[in-house]
Amino acid sequence: SSRNLRGVLRFGISTLPPEGADDREFLAGLDARGFDALELPFVKGFPWKEKRCAAFGQVAADAGFALSIHAPYFAILTSDPDEDPDSAGRILAALEHTMKLARALGARVVVAHTGYTKGRSAETLHALTQRNLERLEPKVRHLGVALGLETGGTERAFGTLGDIALIAREFSFVRPVIDWAHVHAMSGGALTTVEAFASVLEFLRAEFAGWSIDPLHCQFTDNAFGPKGELMHVPYGQGSLRIGPLVAAAHDAGLRMTVISEAREQESHDAILAEARTAQRAAAPAVEAPGRDLGSGRVEAPGGLRVRRDGDRFVPVGLEPEVSLSNIDKPFFPDGYTKGDLLQYYASIAPLLLPHLADRPIVRSRYPDGADGPSFYEKQAPGHTPSFVPLAPMFSGHRDDHIDYVTAPHLAALLWIVNMGAIEMHPWLSRVATPEHPDVAVFDLDPAEGAIWEQVVTAAQLIRVALERLGLTGHPKTSGATGLHIYVPLEAEYPYERVRRLVETVGRFVVDADPSLATMEWDISKRRGRVFIDHNQNVGGKTIASVYSVRPRAGAPVSTPLLWDEVENVRPGDFTIATIWDRIGRFGDLFAPVLRGGQRLEAAERGLGLD
């Protein structure tokens, strides 16, 4: 609540620089008027090429401006590829091109209209949108630009906040863009109070991951509307929509926003900003939220939790089922991060992490006294495991009995596991329903003593080429410790022995190609100076640190998905519980393809000469 106007609200306009204008002078003029954001309206086509976008983006970055692009109006997601495949192809190509221009510009988001109903059912529209996004995603998910879907403003437009929330659950590069004039029109003019705006912000926080609405991208102008929605934009003050209550609601919620004025008159732009400034100065201190922050405040994790004291323990406010947390102020990492910081990280990353843990037995790697203290692995769920943590009884040949593993289907279960001192998440490679058949193969690349990161990169690239020639796709992630993991999603039909044999065979080819680079030698003393390719991670019951798992090392590094062209430029400790959020906000879940649809092994096995 103590943040100034620019801390909570970035304000900009939608316009292109005048032809022939000097970029620095143009932005300086906007800055002098109080604006620090700009949306380029490429709504009728592409007036700029990538080179022009890159040059303007550099000037804007130097001036501290947040940039975005509005995609062409025709680039909608409800086109039917079966009815008009050429048109659908052009539409997706336009969205892809807009997002490439945004990358060159340094913009975080491209704004697009979802489409029109044309008498079609909601189910049909969602199916078309999903189908088109599935075609688009492989072409854009590596760009680091989010696709912002704008709320519809008439009955014939598709795209309520609820619609966008359903789409964003499936595609983590999708973001909501709130056109407040549209919401105002569709609500029949209800957005006239702080409480009304606050209710929309509350819905956003309930339906979207914190990192996907931090900052929240918005459009704003005054409008006239009728029974079927918006009729037209009008000069600010001629309608009933006001910026003041929105600023107050965002202030009270502590929500960062970028608001783009879509008014057609400079006077309206300036009037909206002037009222926003007045509202910010007049905003009373926000009503203190119940409880206290879960973390120490050293980690700004979006969408974090607050907790209330319950005796000598703490309970997250508003979380169901209720989970009790202990010792949240206890130092847990050498550089001062606390157990509460660890819990706050997992609470914030949960929308991305939980799908990767779903239906998998979890081995807990516990550090009761933090990363520097003693640790142990624990498989059997303790007797005091709460009823809201589902157990997975899995047969152990070693014990000749069943072991009750914990699972993490929801946030409360995840927090309970972390509260037990589990810094790392170690799920099985197979799911509860198919325990003998993993749905992912893993190449674990671990640099032995004397090896350097460049050797890890070379080994990973050799494995990538080998997989591609075998018709398989691998997805890299940092281990968060010293090495690299490559995940190969599979249909859950192959026994562990068959998966392990394939990984071992590919690994042997890499070793044979350059014995000085990599090794599969089991004797640790014989690995020196080389990268150890560990195929024996592909064994039933064995586990490896999950994607987005924190590792028990200084800085609290996180096992983070990578793009293949990033691998040579990163190090395992580059992403931590404090530094990962901008990346998540730009890319969403780069490991989403690991969750969607496996790959078959038969052709690869034939290529390797395996029976």
Side-chain angles (χ1 to χ4, degrees):
S1 60
S2 63
R3 289 180 290 186
N4 61 22
L5 179 62
R6 292 195 177 207
V8 172
L9 177 72
R10 297 180 72 100
F11 207 91
I13 65 174
S14 175
T15 191
L16 287 169
E19 192 69 30
D22 179 82
D23 290 341
R24 295 187 186 279
E25 291 179 2
F26 168 72
L27 291 174
L30 289 180
D31 183 71
R33 288 164 54 196
F35 299 105
D36 60 354
L38 179 68
E39 188 153 289
L40 302 178
F42 291 179
V43 293
K44 296 180 180 179
F46 302 107
W48 290 6
K49 298 185 182 298
E50 285 193 38
K51 185 176 180 180
R52 173 74 175 98
C53 287
F56 186 84
Q58 184 58 61
V59 174
D62 293 342
F65 271 69
L67 299 178
S68 54
I69 298 179
H70 198 303
Y73 287 142
F74 69 84
I76 58 175
L77 291 169
T78 51
S79 59
D80 192 335
D82 294 332
E83 289 185 1
D84 191 344
D86 290 340
S87 175
R90 287 193 297 271
I91 286 171
L92 292 185
L95 284 173
E96 178 185 356
H97 186 60
T98 309
M99 295 178 76
K100 287 181 177 178
L101 293 177
R103 177 181 61 174
L105 192 70
R108 292 178 61 94
V109 64
V110 161
V111 179
H113 290 168
T114 307
Y116 304 96
T117 59
K118 296 183 178 180
R120 296 170 293 185
S121 68
E123 291 77 13
T124 298
L125 293 166
H126 274 283
L128 287 172
T129 301
Q130 179 162 348
R131 184 177 174 186
N132 285 319
L133 284 172
E134 286 173 350
R135 295 171 61 196
L136 180 65
E137 183 183 31
K139 301 176 181 179
V140 301
R141 64 186 178 89
H142 64 286
L143 298 176
V145 177
L147 179 63
L149 300 186
E150 184 178 323
T151 49
T154 68
E155 286 186 355
R156 65 188 183 92
F158 173 63
T160 66
L161 267 179
D163 292 328
I164 297 170
L166 290 174
I167 297 166
R169 288 174 195 166
E170 296 293 324
F171 301 94
S172 64
F173 71 100
V174 168
R175 304 284 183 273
V177 171
I178 312 303
D179 188 316
W180 291 105
H182 288 174
V183 176
H184 187 54
M186 295 303 290
S187 68
L191 291 181
T192 58
T193 65
V194 174
E195 292 74 20
F197 281 103
S199 68
V200 179
L201 299 182
E202 185 177 352
F203 177 86
L204 284 164
R205 282 206 155 140
E207 296 297 323
F208 294 89
W211 48 264
S212 71
I213 55 172
D214 181 38
L216 177 66
H217 196 82
C218 308
Q219 316 278 13
F220 197 94
T221 190
D222 210 347
N223 65 341
F225 55 88
K228 294 186 178 181
E230 185 174 71
L231 299 176
M232 68 181 75
H233 293 328
V234 298
Y236 192 64
Q238 291 187 13
S240 56
L241 187 62
R242 294 291 178 272
I243 191 70
L246 170 60
V247 172
H251 179 275
D252 291 348
L255 185 68
R256 297 195 303 169
M257 293 194 305
T258 299
V259 181
I260 301 297
S261 169
E262 290 192 310
R264 295 183 173 88
E265 315 82 21
Q266 178 172 316
E267 295 79 9
S268 291
H269 293 320
D270 294 336
I272 292 170
L273 180 59
E275 185 176 322
R277 282 176 166 162
T278 300
Q280 180 72 15
R281 288 192 294 267
V287 176
E288 183 65 26
R292 50 157 288 188
D293 287 334
L294 174 56
S296 68
R298 298 186 64 213
V299 177
E300 292 190 13
L305 294 175
R306 292 181 68 83
V307 290
R308 59 177 173 82
R309 183 174 286 278
D310 183 19
D312 62 348
R313 301 175 72 88
F314 296 87
V315 175
V317 175
L319 180 63
E320 294 292 339
E322 192 173 275
V323 58
S324 180
L325 308 175
S326 61
N327 302 317
I328 65 174
D329 295 320
K330 186 175 184 177
F332 238 54
F333 292 88
D335 41 12
Y337 292 139
T338 64
K339 184 180 178 183
D341 293 328
L342 179 70
L343 286 158
Q344 190 74 285
Y345 164 79
Y346 276 115
S348 298
I349 204 70
L352 291 188
L353 171 61
L354 288 173
H356 293 279
L357 300 180
D359 305 318
R360 298 185 191 274
I362 296 173
V363 176
R364 284 158 298 140
S365 177
R366 294 181 58 186
Y367 292 77
D369 295 317
D372 279 351
S375 65
F376 58 94
Y377 286 99
E378 189 172 53
K379 298 180 178 181
Q380 176 65 44
H384 58 80
T385 303
S387 59
F388 62 76
V389 178
L391 302 182
M394 310 301 291
F395 183 77
S396 167
H398 177 70
R399 293 192 184 184
D400 195 28
D401 197 0
H402 285 82
I403 297 175
D404 290 321
Y405 289 85
V406 298
T407 64
H410 48 65
L411 177 56
L414 176 63
L415 291 181
W416 179 83
I417 292 170
V418 177
N419 188 63
M420 297 289 287
I423 292 177
E424 302 174 293
M425 295 294 113
H426 280 261
W428 279 29
L429 301 183
S430 52
R431 298 180 186 267
V432 173
T434 54
E436 304 297 329
H437 301 89
D439 58 5
V440 65
V442 174
F443 291 82
D444 181 7
L445 309 185
D446 185 16
E449 183 180 355
I452 58 176
W453 180 251
E454 285 71 19
Q455 290 174 273
V456 177
V457 172
T458 301
Q461 291 171 336
L462 288 173
I463 291 171
R464 178 194 185 188
V465 170
L467 290 173
E468 288 176 346
R469 291 183 177 178
L470 293 169
L472 297 172
T473 300
H475 301 271
K477 71 179 180 72
T478 66
S479 69
T482 60
L484 192 73
H485 301 153
I486 301 171
Y487 276 43
V488 182
L490 303 173
E491 293 291 344
E493 298 179 10
Y494 308 101
Y496 272 100
E497 311 88 75
R498 193 166 164 183
V499 173
R500 183 170 65 255
R501 181 180 59 171
L502 181 132
V503 173
E504 179 181 12
T505 304
V506 172
R508 297 286 179 201
F509 277 118
V510 173
V511 171
D512 291 344
D514 187 351
S516 68
L517 171 71
T519 179
M520 298 181 77
E521 177 62 58
W522 196 246
D523 187 339
I524 295 176
S525 65
K526 297 180 180 180
R527 300 177 190 169
R528 181 174 176 81
R530 293 177 290 173
V531 177
F532 177 55
I533 302 175
D534 187 359
H535 68 288
N536 279 314
Q537 294 290 357
N538 299 276
V539 172
K542 289 197 72 171
T543 62
I544 196 166
S546 170
V547 65
Y548 305 117
S549 173
V550 182
R551 306 307 301 274
R553 303 170 72 89
V558 173
S559 180
T560 304
L562 300 176
L563 301 168
W564 274 111
D565 60 8
E566 293 181 299
V567 169
E568 61 183 318
N569 297 317
V570 302
R571 295 295 183 272
D574 282 355
F575 306 109
T576 72
I577 63 173
T579 64
I580 196 173
W581 300 110
D582 178 71
R583 179 179 182 81
I584 296 298
R586 286 185 174 274
F587 289 102
D589 183 13
L590 285 174
F591 247 41
V594 175
L595 295 173
R596 286 201 290 270
Q599 302 173 97
R600 303 200 64 83
L601 290 183
E602 288 82 359
E605 290 172 325
R606 288 194 296 271
L608 292 170
L610 301 174
D611 293 333

